[in-house]
């Protein structure tokens, strides 16, 4: 995938391998079956490739990857993709507002838990530029859970790639 790398790291003198999703400060969000964490420095990930007038905001990178997967499965990937901001932590929302509020259209794909709903509600009260997209995966914790339950994988995913 263009967005992730396989990362080897040591933690408590034990070698681990994880999916790594790079942030803007050079750190990585790290995930494997047993570990959810990040390397320093922790930051947001802004993906811009065009002069799109809209930005999609995701709480975490699995939700961003789920959006990409759903669009590909439905063949709905636009020719010109919007820009993306992955918060990598809800605590970065305030800091990110300066960047995202430059866009006339801000689509929020935040989790359907108390924290995600609170930030969404606050954003909607700031401006009508904010659009709550969580209705698309209502009755699910987040977009990733929706993908897993609604788009069951027909074949096992093979691990490809090399150690870095």
């Amino acid at each position: 995938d263009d967005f992730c790398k396989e990362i080897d790291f040591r933690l408590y003198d034990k070698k681990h391998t994880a999916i790594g999703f790079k942030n803007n400060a050079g750190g990585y969000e790290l995930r494997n079956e047993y570990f959810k964490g990040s390397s320093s420095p922790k930051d947001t990930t802004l993906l811009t490739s065009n002069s799109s007038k809209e930005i999609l905001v995701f709480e975490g990178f699995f939700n961003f990857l789920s959006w990409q997967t759903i669009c590909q499965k439905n063949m709905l990937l636009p020719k010109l993709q919007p820009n993306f901001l992955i918060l990598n932590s809800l605590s970065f929302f305030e800091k990110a507002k300066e960047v995202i509020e430059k866009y006339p259209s801000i689509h929020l794909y935040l989790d359907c838990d108390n924290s995600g709903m609170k930030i969404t509600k606050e954003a909607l009260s700031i401006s009508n530029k904010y659009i709550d997209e969580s209705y698309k995966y209502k009755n699910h914790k987040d977009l990733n859970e929706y993908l897993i339950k609604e788009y069951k994988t027909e074949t096992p995913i093979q691990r490809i790639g090399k150690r870095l």
Side-chain angles (χ1 to χ4, degrees), residues 50-98:
N50 59 59
S51 58
S52 177
K53 300 272 190 254
E54 61 183 354
I55 189 164
L56 279 57
V57 179
F58 297 90
E59 194 165 325
F61 80 93
F62 271 101
N63 291 320
F64 163 71
L65 296 174
S66 297
W67 185 89
Q68 294 285 335
T69 301
I70 290 166
C71 288
Q72 287 175 355
K73 283 183 175 284
N74 289 335
M75 307 241 261
L76 295 175
L77 274 180
K79 288 182 179 150
L80 186 65
Q81 283 207 6
N83 292 319
F84 302 97
L85 179 75
I86 299 87
L87 294 170
N88 296 319
S89 170
L90 270 181
S91 63
F92 286 125
F93 186 78
E94 278 301 314
K95 173 186 165 189
K97 280 198 316 195
E98 184 180 331

Side-chain angles (χ1 to χ4, degrees), residues 22 33 46 48 103 105 108 116 139 156:
K22 195 171 187 176
E33 188 177 358
L46 180 64
T48 59
Y103 291 85
S105 182
L108 300 175
N139 303 321

Side-chain angles (χ1 to χ4, degrees), residues 117-160:
M117 302 295 274
K118 180 180 179 215
I119 296 289
T120 298
K121 186 177 178 183
E122 287 172 14
L124 294 174
S125 72
I126 295 169
S127 168
N128 62 1
K129 296 193 307 185
Y130 287 96
I131 302 159
D132 179 12
E133 299 288 0
S134 67
Y135 72 91
K136 294 178 179 175
Y137 46 96
K138 67 180 179 185
N139 303 321
H140 296 80
K141 180 176 103 48
D142 58 21
L143 193 57
N144 183 247
E145 182 181 277
Y146 170 79
L147 171 66
I148 291 167
K149 291 185 176 174
E150 301 299 323
Y151 291 84
K152 304 212 178 358
T153 305
E154 300 83 26
T155 56
I157 298 171
Q158 290 184 325
R159 179 177 166 174
I160 52 176

